[in-house]
Amino acid sequence: MEILWLVFGTLVIVLVLSPYLRRRHDGIRLVSPSSPDAADPANYGFDREEELDIRIPGPDQDLMAALDNVRRTGGWQAASQLLAGTPQEGERRWQRVQAFGGAAALELMAQPGTGAQWLRAWRQEAEEDPGGAQVHAELLVQQAWRHSGGVGSADHRIILEEAREACRKAALLAPGDPVPYITELAIARGLAYPEAEFDELWAKVIDRAPNHMGAHLAALHYWGAQWHGSREQADAFAHAAAARAPQGSLLAALPMFALRENQPDIVLSPSFYRGAVATRAVEGALYAVHTARQDDPMVAHVRHMLLMFLVCMERWAEAMEQVRHVDGYVGALPWSEAANPAASYAVYRAMAVAGYEANGGSPATLAQ
């Protein structure tokens, strides 16, 4: 089992394991994908890998309808109307801006120079629309991080500089809206804002949305050891936010995300996941999920990360509970970091199914 986990920790190898997982009461083994003993998530009604939606972390029917309208008609009005009706406070507006920006980025990648005409028209025909300005800023950020030649390249910096100016224009159109400042957090990371400048930006975020989980996740990246902080700074930021979180806030889950942020410095082994630090972080995240409003759009983000940790901790029944809630959508960490988010998620889901069944679980015993 130890060897399996070491293989499991290497992404290139792990992505091919899911069809071969076998569930038995003496443990999880590898078998032929045609074997009747191979774990089959379809037995639970879970979506096939190719049907998983990589755009969003959980269902948002209004957003899906607007995205479909934009794709089908090439018009921007449905997107504008949806954002105009989405409150500035809370998480949903930020997620919807991200989704529209991501859709535009994908179109431009598929059709360089000609894609996302609807966003160009939106900015030209409704210059004072804050929604369009925010989506444009988000598009630039996503282009910089995904399609600019990599961090440190001249194109990466040029696009992020353009994105910073777009964020500032968007902020002027809706002074109380935290979204332009949250979008700028990713720019701050890429352009290596000094700590004083980052703190000034962060103050603008928390003045407008002090308990915004998405904003805290974006800021956590800046403080991680991979970027401009350290493991200690990332942990301190996460635990301070969790300690001051009001009842029902998902910020209690932030230490778990900090562990994930620091994982490149950690030996990926079962002993780490059985340790007190990981256990406390996961218990905090489970508490946050159970006490938060279930219509909070960030609950799905926490459940996706919980799935990864619970599988690694071999807490199969709890892992299956997360799958039951989030299956069908994979637009969240940790899957979104992978080259193939759907395949990455499918591996952990298959591990959850195999472990669950190895310990006596079945479709009949999974709560609905």
Side-chain angles (χ1 to χ4, degrees), residues 150-169:
V151 177
S153 69
D155 283 350
H156 181 75
R157 185 169 191 87
I158 289 168
I159 297 173
L160 284 180
E161 293 282 7
E162 186 180 354
R164 175 161 60 180
E165 184 59 27
C167 283
R168 291 176 180 176
K169 289 179 179 176

Side-chain angles (χ1 to χ4, degrees), residues 69-93:
N69 182 281
V70 167
R71 179 191 57 77
R72 183 168 36 82
T73 68
W76 53 269
Q77 288 78 8
S80 176
Q81 289 168 6
L82 181 64
L83 290 181
T86 305
Q88 291 181 354
E89 64 276 8
E91 313 278 348
R92 197 171 297 279
R93 183 179 179 88

Side-chain angles (χ1 to χ4, degrees), residues 130-152:
Q134 291 172 11
V135 171
H136 178 235
E138 178 64 30
L139 162 66
L140 292 170
V141 168
Q142 295 204 26
Q143 284 185 310
W145 284 104
R146 296 182 182 184
H147 315 300
S148 66
V151 177

Side-chain angles (χ1 to χ4, degrees), residues 89-102:
E89 64 276 8
E91 313 278 348
R92 197 171 297 279
R93 183 179 179 88
W94 172 70
Q95 288 195 7
R96 287 173 170 175
V97 167
Q98 283 193 310
F100 287 123

Side-chain angles (χ1 to χ4, degrees), residues 132-340:
Q134 291 172 11
V135 171
H136 178 235
E138 178 64 30
L139 162 66
L140 292 170
V141 168
Q142 295 204 26
Q143 284 185 310
W145 284 104
R146 296 182 182 184
H147 315 300
S148 66
V151 177
S153 69
D155 283 350
H156 181 75
R157 185 169 191 87
I158 289 168
I159 297 173
L160 284 180
E161 293 282 7
E162 186 180 354
R164 175 161 60 180
E165 184 59 27
C167 283
R168 291 176 180 176
K169 289 179 179 176
L172 291 174
L173 294 174
D177 194 329
V179 168
Y181 301 103
I182 297 172
T183 301
E184 192 178 346
L185 292 171
I187 299 168
R189 178 163 50 102
L191 293 180
Y193 283 21
E195 285 190 18
E197 188 177 355
F198 185 85
D199 287 342
E200 184 180 343
L201 171 61
W202 183 240
K204 293 175 182 176
V205 174
I206 60 173
D207 280 349
R208 293 161 175 80
N211 300 310
H212 198 289
M213 180 66 173
H216 281 78
L217 290 177
L220 181 63
H221 289 316
Y222 176 91
W223 292 115
Q226 297 179 73
W227 293 101
H228 310 298
S230 64
R231 181 187 300 178
E232 292 73 21
Q233 285 175 296
D235 283 344
F237 176 81
H239 282 88
R244 66 171 180 269
Q247 179 72 16
S249 168
L250 289 166
L251 290 176
L254 207 59
M256 177 180 65
F257 286 86
L259 281 184
R260 171 66 181 177
E261 185 71 22
N262 288 324
Q263 269 191 341
D265 298 326
I266 294 169
V267 176
L268 295 179
S269 68
S271 60
F272 165 73
Y273 291 102
R274 297 188 192 112
V277 173
T279 299
R280 281 196 301 270
V282 166
E283 293 302 331
L286 287 168
Y287 171 80
V289 163
H290 292 150
T291 57
R293 292 189 345 266
Q294 291 310 295
D295 63 349
D296 186 323
M298 291 303 292
V299 168
H301 282 270
V302 178
R303 288 192 183 278
H304 280 288
M305 189 62 76
L306 270 169
L307 171 59
M308 188 211 76
F309 272 88
L310 291 167
V311 165
C312 293
M313 297 168 87
E314 301 180 20
R315 292 167 63 168
W316 309 116
E318 291 166 294
M320 285 292 282
E321 180 67 8
Q322 310 316 312
V323 175
R324 186 174 72 82
H325 281 281
V326 303
D327 194 68
Y329 304 90
V330 295
L333 292 171
W335 330 120
S336 57
E337 294 178 333
N340 187 336

Side-chain angles (χ1 to χ4, degrees), residues 5 8-19 21 41 48-50 52-54 260 263 304-305 307-309 311-312 323 326-327 329-352:
W5 278 113
F8 181 65
T10 6
L11 183 60
V12 174
I13 297 175
V14 90
L15 289 177
V16 301
L17 290 182
S18 59
L21 291 172
R48 296 170 61 86
E49 182 181 320
E50 59 269 24
L52 296 169
D53 194 323
I54 67 172
R260 171 66 181 177
Q263 269 191 341
H304 280 288
M305 189 62 76
L307 171 59
M308 188 211 76
F309 272 88
V311 165
C312 293
V323 175
V326 303
D327 194 68
Y329 304 90
V330 295
L333 292 171
W335 330 120
S336 57
E337 294 178 333
N340 187 336
S344 181
Y345 166 82
V347 168
Y348 282 84
R349 181 179 65 181
M351 290 289 287

